[in-house]
Amino acid sequence: MVLGKNIIIYDLDDTLYNKTQEFANILDTTMAEALVYDLGLKMDISKAKELVTESYRIYRDGGEIFYRDYNIKPQDLFIAYHKRKPVEKIVPYNNLIDKIKKVPANQYIFTASDRYASEKILKHLGLFEFFKDRYFSVEDFGVFKKNENADVYYKFCEKIKVSPRDCVFVDDSYSNLEFAKEAGMTTVRIYYGNNSAKDKKYIDYAYKGILSFLDDILEN
């Protein structure tokens, strides 16, 4: 049992590894390149990158401005961006798998990365064998986001045959946790700088980095 629940569901990106400011900058450039080079957006890379960064700041989604104002389809950007995602630049935590193996609960991953990128990331982090039959992408449920409504969280729980009320959802993005909470899950936010979402009532617990969360539940 972890926080009184039998199931832990982790986000993958920026949760099971630390998205440094340097890596965040690389990802914004990657999305801009996908928009311009792969999807034919008539804009130079520097301007597209500025809008990606602005979109993430406003909407918690780097593509939202382009969906709204530039006729970019979410599915097209989802595919193009994840093909370019520079997984090799992620710095894994040492011994993360050792801690995860000791957690006294069933564990899953639910990510907004596509399955192609998710497999690459999990292998890079040394987590693939542990999660190989227990990781799911939003695309498995016919959507491309986790922060629109609670439906995808209900569908995820139906897929793994559990009740949301038996689940702890762990994510760095507070916009995702809002809908996990709406579905009935216990919510844990992972942050890296200051806890900017400490006023959000739908967040039950917050930890600075995934290792502090794992250390806490293993110690208690």
Side-chain angles (χ1 to χ4, degrees):
M1 301 283 283
V2 172
L3 303 178
K5 304 300 174 73
N6 298 316
I7 308 293
I8 297 182
I9 305 164
Y10 301 99
D11 173 51
L12 177 55
D13 294 297
D14 316 335
T15 297
L16 293 181
Y17 61 86
N18 178 9
K19 184 174 76 173
T20 63
Q21 187 57 50
E22 178 185 7
F23 190 56
N25 184 59
I26 291 171
L27 291 179
D28 287 357
T29 300
T30 299
M31 184 170 285
E33 291 173 345
L35 286 159
V36 174
Y37 297 145
D38 302 326
L39 302 183
L41 180 68
K42 303 301 183 184
M43 187 179 294
D44 62 54
I45 293 293
S46 61
K47 177 60 177 178
K49 181 182 176 183
E50 287 178 10
L51 290 179
V52 168
T53 303
E54 180 181 354
S55 182
Y56 185 80
R57 178 181 57 80
I58 296 172
Y59 300 111
R60 305 289 295 171
D61 183 332
E64 188 66 31
I65 282 177
F66 301 95
Y67 311 147
R68 293 172 181 242
D69 299 338
Y70 294 91
N71 201 33
I72 297 294
K73 295 179 180 178
Q75 181 176 2
D76 292 342
L77 181 55
F78 182 84
I79 293 169
Y81 169 66
H82 286 108
K83 283 184 178 179
R84 287 182 170 271
K85 196 166 187 176
V87 171
E88 69 283 355
K89 295 186 182 296
I90 296 170
V91 179
Y93 288 117
N94 292 328
N95 303 318
L96 178 60
I97 186 59
D98 296 331
K99 294 179 185 291
I100 283 177
K101 285 180 177 179
K102 295 176 183 177
V103 171
N106 293 319
Q107 299 172 85
Y108 297 85
I109 287 173
F110 182 36
T111 176
S113 284
D114 70 1
R115 292 195 66 85
Y116 169 79
S118 298
E119 180 174 333
K120 287 177 64 179
I121 293 168
L122 288 169
K123 287 179 176 177
H124 183 71
L125 298 178
L127 302 177
F128 180 74
E129 288 302 318
F130 184 84
F131 284 109
K132 66 180 179 181
D133 297 318
R134 287 177 289 161
Y135 76 95
F136 299 87
S137 165
V138 288
E139 68 176 332
D140 294 322
F141 304 95
V143 297
F144 307 97
K145 301 179 183 180
K146 291 192 294 183
N147 64 351
E148 288 189 317
N149 56 59
D151 288 352
V152 72
Y153 295 91
Y154 289 119
K155 290 177 181 178
F156 180 91
C157 289
E158 289 174 5
K159 180 73 173 180
I160 65 174
K161 297 180 172 59
V162 301
S163 167
R165 299 199 176 277
D166 292 330
C167 299
V168 176
F169 198 88
V170 184
D171 201 317
D172 68 292
S173 175
Y174 56 81
S175 58
N176 295 336
L177 291 172
E178 179 177 5
F179 295 108
K181 186 66 176 179
E182 184 179 319
M185 299 179 180
T186 296
T187 54
V188 175
R189 187 185 183 221
I190 302 301
Y191 65 95
Y192 297 99
N194 296 320
N195 184 10
S196 60
K198 60 185 176 182
D199 61 324
K200 308 295 184 185
K201 294 182 178 180
Y202 51 82
I203 296 175
D204 297 311
Y205 303 90
Y207 291 87
K208 191 167 186 175
I210 191 65
L211 296 182
S212 66
F213 169 68
L214 293 172
D215 288 341
D216 187 54
I217 61 177
L218 292 175
E219 289 171 5
N220 293 285

